[in-house]
Amino acid sequence: MLTVAVSVAAGVAAITSAFPALYDYRVAMGVLFIAGIATGNLRGLRESSNLFALPTYLFVFSFAGMLAYGLVRWAAGWEAAPPAEIAVPMSQDLTIFVVLRAFSSGCAALTGVEAVSDGVPAFKPPEARNARTVLAWLGIILVALFIGITFLAHHYHVTPRAEETVVSQLARLIFGGGLLYYEIQVVTMLILVFAANTAFADFPRLAYFLARDGFIPRQFGTRGDRLVFSNGILILGGLAALLILLFGGATHALIPLYAVGVFVSFTLSQASMVRRWLTRRESGWQWRWVMNGLGAATTGLVMLVIAGTKFRHGAWMVVLLIPLLVVGFLMIRRHYADVARQLSLDNYGGPPPIDHSVLVLVGDLHRGVAAALRYAQTLSASVKAVYVELDPERTRKLEEKWGKFGLGIPLVVLTSPYRSLLTPFLDYVNHLLALGENHVVTIVIPEFVPARWWQHLLHNQTALLIKGALLFRKGVVVVDVPFHLR
Amino acid sequence: MLTVAVSVAAGVAAITSAFPALYDYRVAMGVLFIAGIATGNLRGLRESSNLFALPTYLFVFSFAGMLAYGLVRWAAGWEAAPPAEIAVPMSQDLTIFVVLRAFSSGCAALTGVEAVSDGVPAFKPPEARNARTVLAWLGIILVALFIGITFLAHHYHVTPRAEETVVSQLARLIFGGGLLYYEIQVVTMLILVFAANTAFADFPRLAYFLARDGFIPRQFGTRGDRLVFSNGILILGGLAALLILLFGGATHALIPLYAVGVFVSFTLSQASMVRRWLTRRESGWQWRWVMNGLGAATTGLVMLVIAGTKFRHGAWMVVLLIPLLVVGFLMIRRHYADVARQLSLDNYGGPPPIDHSVLVLVGDLHRGVAAALRYAQTLSASVKAVYVELDPERTRKLEEKWGKFGLGIPLVVLTSPYRSLLTPFLDYVNHLLALGENHVVTIVIPEFVPARWWQHLLHNQTALLIKGALLFRKGVVVVDVPFHLR
């Protein structure tokens, strides 16, 4: 979720840097981007599509070009560096803490490289070697871009501002605005939106595994019409959009949460590898567990430094949320195990026989009620109709009609001293339920179905009231019998 | 609704005039007042209660005292009048239009007096004479207060302001702040809140008559637990609160709507009396119809002047709304008449015999499903279970269990080439429905009922999906059979 929120927020920032008039709409733009990506994924858009190759190459070459041009300008001394706009503290004691912080921030800037390791099976054979080549290239490109941008940002005295990204300021200074500047911004936006898309490919699959193992609701394990895990996509999109809303679409506010989350997962995966080597003792385990142990220690240290320094800037949420999620997962798994036990057919003697009463609740007698009576007769030979008396005069009229059109079904009249419809009826149902342990009461309610939607408002929603009062009542089944009006 | 909204807005204005810090919370205060009054009415608070007598006397005597003291100060020349704060145009051509406007505004200020005529039967005998005495006194008090306030407001150069009412400015100038000033404000607020309460006594009763005659939904005709017309109270409170929200709690913005509404009703009631005299020709009809005709003409003129001059200030809403309401009333009455015809037992031969199929939709076989199968067996001897196959391996497993625990009920397996659960099942139901005109298909759906609310989220809501797809489908009855988990 944080990957989606951070990437989209940064993508929107690239656009609002180029078009400041859009700055006020950054939250709406972020939500729209997420809705667009989610819709694409619901309709079956795949990450492996060639659609994604072009912007990736464009991004690498555009940035390389920008940095090269910037360095040439610097080397040739074409322009004087503009004066520093803000006085920044020039020196700081190089304590161990400052080193740790710098190291952590640097690490956070380089996340995403590990994505290659998740995709090894998708490479052409020999998979491992090809993946290693890609990883090496990725490292070189990333480090080159990182150092290049840092160097030029220092040279041009560019400092982060809320309204304009560092990249935008740099591109503006190097190209002096114009078409090339806008190209850099659009390509940045595209690559970041595609980064968000990665999470839409991975989260629903992760959710599927968790659902299969009973740690989260099973609905995450079912595929939608286009064979995608629609529930995972919807939840991911919804929560990422919520994060954008809560943090006002500000990238810098989301980064602490993101960084803690990322390094928790890195630490956990490295630690699990250590455990694996120590348990299974496969070939080379002696030096492999040391390597992964070193990895766990490094990423764990980064996590602690970020969680500590950024605790008050939102990292506390992640620190709080992760234990809560784990507790939730365990509760859900216990519930599923419990249900499975209760439903199991082991040592099952079959369902007990049912002692069945069928009641038709009537408020009048007309064609709709008559149809419901006929239906109830097909359910049981001993149907009874129940009427709650609010006005004896109406009872007399009803009984008159009943003689002619009551289909021979006995009519039980319940008196209601306090003009309540529900209480006497519920008392009567309780009385029937008390007759035996395996007693089931089926309550048939005649219901109008008007021809047009607004006409629903014009009829008493007695059926709804009764259903509400008896919902989830043990031994009670409520059946609406619709009567369709023209 | 407008009476409630205007009275409450004015009552809140009395408070915020005295405590300007509350001015920003005027909308919330208005909504809270309305919620309070509505709650009181829902719990059976009566207008006739002695509770209402005290503040009424307090109001009359406080205002009379304030005006008397103000007049004495003026007569004794105790203080120089403060200079006019705002330059107001001093002269205006006295055209017929200006006269009409002044007349209309004056009339609007005196509305409410007619309430006595609605309550004649509540007077002690001789009712008519007592009511006439009260009406005369009411007229005298009202005119005296109106003239007194107008005179003093002119003398003190008080002009209406959004943040402080005229009465508050006047009381502040006369009493120079202090306890007496606050007493005036509190009493004003009380009397206005009680004015709003009048509408809560009358609107639900009016709604009852309209509902009885079939012009508005019947639900307005049913009494709640405490014998009050709860639906009328809730709708009145809800819509009045909405008006307060829409108009930002500003009395002056609501007045045009209120005035047009009031004078439309006056005109209509006077015109109906004219029609009554001309049709029935009761004693004295000759001069009575002239009197009521004059009344209709006068109030009609006021209505036209207000609707004309305040058209752009909101009166257009009332002008638009009233015809729409009338059309709505007529549509609703036609619907009820139409339904009554369709349900009538005249020339009715009784409901046609039903050809009944009972299906149990199963996704697996466990104790919950077995209980539902047993229940379905009590409904019909020829029950069938239906299973939609998404994976042939699972079908094989299900069929194995079915032999042992299927209670001898035949299992229909529907194949689903596109992995959809709904489509094959709906096709099967349609096929059954097509077998005959009087065919009814009852679909039994086994449903879990977890012990705790949050556990509902952990189960596939297939039952809900099926119900949604078959809702209001002719010839289909859906029955949930709950299985209660511990």
Side-chain angles (χ1 to χ4, degrees), chain B residues 5-6 9-10 13 23 26 160-165 247-259 310 313-315:
Chain B
V6 165
Y23 184 69
R26 61 198 183 283
R161 281 196 287 139
E163 312 80 43
E164 189 169 10
T165 63
F247 288 85
T251 319
H252 63 89
L254 286 161
I255 288 279
L257 279 79
Y258 172 76
K310 298 289 184 186
H313 296 101

Side-chain angles (χ1 to χ4, degrees), chain B residues 25-106:
Chain B
Y25 305 102
R26 61 198 183 283
V27 172
M29 284 170 72
V31 172
L32 272 180
F33 273 141
I34 292 175
I37 303 170
T39 309
N41 278 277
L42 284 174
R43 319 204 87 224
L45 181 82
R46 284 302 157 118
E47 201 192 355
S48 53
S49 151
N50 283 325
L51 187 69
F52 292 84
L54 185 70
T56 309
Y57 285 114
L58 251 177
F59 173 78
V60 171
F61 288 113
S62 305
F63 266 63
M66 175 180 80
L67 294 176
Y69 184 62
L71 286 170
V72 167
R73 288 185 67 153
W74 165 75
W78 283 349
E79 89 287 351
E85 286 171 357
I86 307 164
V88 273
M90 276 306 164
S91 76
Q92 197 171 13
D93 285 340
L94 200 70
T95 59
I96 178 80
F97 183 67
V98 170
V99 173
L100 282 173
R101 262 182 76 172
F103 177 66
S104 303
S105 301

